[in-house]
Amino acid sequence: MDQSHANSTVNFCQSCAIRNRAICADLDEQEIGVLNKLGRRRRIQAGEQLLWEGDEALLVANVIEGVLKLSTQTSDGREQILGLAYPSDFLGRPFGETAPYGVEALTDAYVCVFERRDFDRFTREHPRLEHKLLERTLAELDKTRRWMLLLGRLNAEQKLATFLLEIADRLSEKTCAAIHLGPSEHITLPLSRQQIADVLGLTIETVSRQLTKLKNDSLIDLPARREVVILDAAGLSHRAN
Amino acid sequence: MDQSHANSTVNFCQSCAIRNRAICADLDEQEIGVLNKLGRRRRIQAGEQLLWEGDEALLVANVIEGVLKLSTQTSDGREQILGLAYPSDFLGRPFGETAPYGVEALTDAYVCVFERRDFDRFTREHPRLEHKLLERTLAELDKTRRWMLLLGRLNAEQKLATFLLEIADRLSEKTCAAIHLGPSEHITLPLSRQQIADVLGLTIETVSRQLTKLKNDSLIDLPARREVVILDAAGLSHRAN
DNA sequence: CGTGCATTTGAGTGGGTTCAATAAATGTGG
DNA sequence: CCACATTTATTGAACCCACTCAAATGCACG
């Protein structure tokens, strides 16, 4: 379970599931060796919090396994989920004083964590890593901006359709080595209805109603609470607009 | 007016209004000299487009003067403004194939543009610049994510109040060398009602109604179409929640 | 099998949109 | 410089989508 005691002797990176997809991908053997000593692996249970919004930004991390949410809260206590983090995604705020959002595991997860100060220093000394991090951040910014269109301009049906297609796509690529068969048609949601609502800027009731509507229209099936089968991806895509 | 003919002989950067605030701030004299040769200054009229969404990403730029909007469109033609760019802000998508959003000048503007390929190469060769760009991008991502909370969870009044406070703050720091007297109370909007609506994910009518409401409540005054006077910043802040 | 929580479903309300008309500001040409 | 056209903003009325509140159902746990 907890393998952190072996940090200094074993190089976990070499057998890491996301070795070729995370920001460490471009590093050479020697660099990976140094980075491996800085980081430690940590298991997080579903529901457990990794970072707290507003807290001092002490950690950064790579997601190895599982799904986590980034979120912030309104002054009246409602939540807005800012994004989901899947395997190979980077978490945390390098070169920052405070964590701009909270991070909580939605499923049991496995992450590779670094003290932010160690990571910052290593990054500044290794331009290849810094470049990779920059490319990631730029891509993340693009994705976040596209999501603004969803929040600002789409109606509930469009939001749900977009969400289902997106998560089906992301979940299908989660198994790293496995063959990629396109977006999976059968997905196990890592989120509750409330959390879906918090992603899309809706209420739990609206999410529920829209899902049953999509089901009645035979675009999806809902065999269980957390299960969704996409029956008609083209139709969904059309509803997403 | 057009000074680009003098590019190779004169170093504009040395007298640049945003020299100490833009990403070039950390470069030394020699580096600035090289960068100066790569870039050219360009005047843009209000309403003129600098980048088109989906086009090949050929340019990046620094804003020297004026305000520009970044925007994207829904399939049915409505617009969502993704952000505003003020002096010293960076524009464009380095290391990317296509422009993820359109850029249009809201006021007459003055920008320092680079061919993206030149800029990419220079950046990779100068880690200090790359680091500055990374910090910018991280900060921009934080800001964009905070804006998601506004789009997803705030009502029309809260959106307007937040918007007014934010723009008052940004516009007050636009004059670089001048003394900073806190957020200005009198602002000249660089946006039309329609554009404000596109920023906040509302309609033009709702924007108009909320503004008159804030005026009737003596939180602001509207001496002219494009003029706003903030009478009670604390009250506004309270409405922003 | 019963308790507790998540989800669904129903009914009613309301905030923001839509459509329509008016008013104010801006531009244009004589 | 003014009359007229055009654009932009405001205001009004009706509607509708998503929210709120409430109840019922379903599922997971002991």
Side-chain angles (χ1 to χ4, degrees), chain B residues 94-121:
Chain B
F95 313 113
E97 289 303 305
T98 56
Y101 46 76
V103 175
E104 183 187 316
L106 293 174
T107 65
D108 288 347
Y110 203 33
V111 295
C112 169
V113 295
F114 301 88
E115 296 291 323
R116 184 182 61 77
R117 287 172 191 285
D118 296 342
F119 183 84
D120 286 358
R121 195 179 327 108

Side-chain angles (χ1 to χ4, degrees), chain B residues 155-156 201-203 205-206 209-210 225:
Chain B
N155 64 25
L202 297 169
T203 58
E205 296 94 332
T206 303
R209 276 187 259 266
Q210 291 301 329
R225 228 183 255 247

